[in-house]
Amino acid sequence: MKTIDIIIPCYNEAAVFSKLRERLVELAAANPGFKWEFIFVNDGSRDKTLELIKDFAANDKQAKYINFSRNFGKETAMLAGLDYADGDAAVIIDADLQDPPELIPEMIKIWQTGVDDVYARRKSRAGESSLKKWTSSLYYRLLQTTTRVPIQIDTGDFRLLSRRCVLALREVRESNRNMKAIFSWVGYKKQEILYDRDARAAGTTQQGYGKLINLAIDGLTSFTTAPLRIAAVVGMVVTLVAFIWMIRVVVRALIFGPDTAGYPSLMSAILLLGGVQLLSLGVIGEYIGRIFIETKNRPLYFIEESNIKRANDD
Ligand code: UDP
Ligand code: MG
C-alpha cells in the first residue's frame, strides 16, 4: 500500500482547525486504498493550534506533527514537512482550506501515470481583493520574463510531489527561500490540474502585504541575476548619454564662450546620475545581503518537539 503524506504548515490556525481535521479524516476514510499521514508543521503559532494538533495526534495515529521553536515562515515550514515526509508521495496544502483536500485523489491519479509534480492551478480565487489578484498575476509574469526556468502561472504551493521530487527539494537548502521558484527550478515532469480557490474557511490571512513583498523580492533575486544586468545596462546608457552631453557643453563653451546659464542642465544631470547610482547600489546591496545571509550557513529551522521518528534520530 502506498503512503501519501499531507504537509500542512500552520500558523495561528486554531479557528479553522476542527474543520480542517474533519475534512482530512473524511479524505482518508474515502480513500482506504492508501496509507495517509498528516504532517502538521506548527510554525510558532501563538494561539491554541499546537494543542489542537496534539489532541488530533493523540486520537488518530495518522496525525503527525513538528513543532518549531519559533515562527520561521511558511517557506521553511514546507521544507521541514518535506524533510519528514517519507511516504511515496507528498502533498502540500494550506491549513485554511483554501485548497480543497478533495482534489487530492485526482492528483494521485495523475501521479500514478508517472508525473512527478501535480500542481493545482487556480481557475478563480474567492474572497481575495482584486488588488491582491492583480499584484499576484503581475508578479508571476515579471518572474517569468526575467528567467529561463518556466514558471507556473496562477499556481500556489498546493501540489503533489513524487518521492524523487521530494528528495530533490530537500537538497535545496538556501536560506532565502521561495518555494515556488524552487519547485520550478528542480524540474521533473509537471502537470497542472485546475481548481477554484475557496475563500479562507475561518481566521485571517497571515501573509500580509509586507510578507508578500519580501517573498516577491526573494523570488526575483534568488532566481535571476537579471536586475544586476539591468542596473549595468542602465548605467552604461546613462554614461554614454552623459559623455555626449559633456562634449556638447565643452564645444559650446569653446565657440560661444563660458555659459553661466547652465544651472538647470547641470542640476538635472547630477540628479539623474545620482538616482541611477542609488538604484544600482540598491540592487547590488540586495544581492550582497543575500550572500551575507547564505554564507552564515545557519540551520534553517529548529524543532522543539515532534512525534515523528526518523531513521537517523536518536
Ligand atoms: N503560514 C505559516 N507560517 C507563516 C504564515 C503562514 O505556516 O508565517 C501558513 C498558514 O497557516 C497557512 C498557509 O501558510 O496554512 C497560507 O497562509 P495564509 O492563508 O495566511 O496566506 P494566503 O492564503 O493569504 O496567501
Ligand atoms: Mg490562505
Side-chain angles (χ1 to χ4, degrees):
M1 200 152 75
K2 301 254 187 215
T3 304
I4 313 285
D5 286 311
I6 315 254
I7 298 167
I8 313 136
C10 302
Y11 178 54
N12 297 343
E13 298 289 5
V16 284
F17 198 83
S18 62
K19 275 192 198 145
L20 172 70
R21 175 173 170 173
E22 214 173 278
R23 296 266 287 270
L24 290 174
V25 170
E26 270 168 27
L27 171 75
N31 299 278
F34 297 97
K35 184 169 178 277
W36 296 89
E37 260 173 16
F38 314 128
I39 303 179
F40 295 94
V41 184
N42 181 40
D43 186 12
S45 300
R46 283 185 299 261
D47 62 1
K48 289 200 178 317
T49 305
L50 180 64
E51 287 166 41
L52 293 168
I53 294 174
K54 280 188 176 170
D55 175 62
F56 189 12
N59 291 300
D60 190 332
K61 58 182 189 331
Q62 298 175 109
K64 312 270 182 221
Y65 66 90
I66 297 165
N67 185 34
F68 272 179
S69 58
R70 66 169 171 87
N71 177 262
F72 283 96
K74 184 188 176 191
E75 307 301 305
T76 307
M78 288 190 278
L79 176 74
L82 292 170
D83 284 343
Y84 280 80
D86 280 323
D88 298 285
V91 178
I92 299 175
I93 192 167
D94 280 3
D96 58 7
L97 295 169
Q98 282 193 287
D99 310 322
E102 293 71 31
L103 205 66
I104 295 172
E106 270 177 71
M107 290 173 147
I108 293 176
K109 273 191 204 125
I110 299 177
W111 165 62
Q112 283 172 325
T113 66
V115 176
D116 290 284
D117 179 352
V118 187
Y119 60 92
R121 179 170 164 182
R122 301 181 278 256
K123 266 192 294 187
S124 67
R125 319 171 73 163
E128 293 192 75
S129 68
S130 41
L131 180 67
K132 178 152 180 185
K133 286 186 221 168
W134 183 74
T135 45
S136 141
S137 101
L138 191 72
Y139 168 63
Y140 282 116
R141 276 156 192 93
L142 182 66
L143 198 57
Q144 183 60 89
T145 48
T146 53
T147 170
R148 263 174 294 165
V149 181
I151 306 292
Q152 285 87 47
I153 297 237
D154 296 332
T155 304
D157 300 310
F158 183 28
R159 57 182 72 222
L160 180 145
L161 302 155
S162 69
R163 181 83 194 135
R164 63 175 179 181
C165 230
V166 170
L167 293 178
L169 289 165
R170 278 186 196 171
E171 284 185 46
V172 184
R173 303 201 80 82
E174 57 205 47
S175 9
N176 293 292
R177 305 190 67 79
N178 180 300
M179 285 300 257
K180 256 177 269 278
I182 298 171
F183 289 134
S184 303
W185 186 82
V186 297
Y188 290 120
K189 241 172 122 179
K190 299 188 190 307
Q191 192 174 320
E192 69 176 29
I193 172 166
L194 287 168
Y195 79 116
D196 293 300
R197 186 160 167 92
D198 297 328
R200 226 173 202 287
T204 49
T205 177
Q206 314 292 337
Q207 313 261 57
Y209 265 99
K211 265 194 188 175
L212 288 179
I213 289 172
N214 279 335
L215 197 60
I217 294 179
D218 276 351
L220 279 172
T221 50
S222 68
F223 213 176
T224 159
T225 45
L228 280 178
R229 182 138 328 144
I230 293 167
V233 169
V234 172
M236 275 190 288
V237 170
V238 171
T239 313
L240 192 71
V241 171
F243 187 70
I244 294 169
W245 184 257
M246 201 178 74
I247 292 176
R248 194 192 100 113
V249 170
V250 171
V251 170
R252 266 175 69 102
L254 285 177
I255 298 172
F256 305 108
D259 177 15
T260 45
Y263 182 72
S265 54
L266 200 64
M267 205 54 196
S268 43
I270 289 174
L271 287 178
L272 178 71
L273 280 175
V276 170
Q277 279 172 359
L278 280 181
L279 181 76
S280 313
L281 277 179
V283 173
I284 293 166
E286 192 63 46
Y287 282 92
I288 293 179
R290 241 137 266 267
I291 295 169
F292 170 65
I293 289 170
E294 246 23 277
T295 49
K296 285 197 284 192
N297 211 1
R298 290 203 176 147
L300 295 173
Y301 57 84
F302 286 111
I303 293 176
E304 202 204 294
E305 64 168 314
S306 165
N307 67 347
I308 308 177
K309 278 261 170 282
R310 277 201 310 188
N312 51 354
D313 286 351
D314 29 74

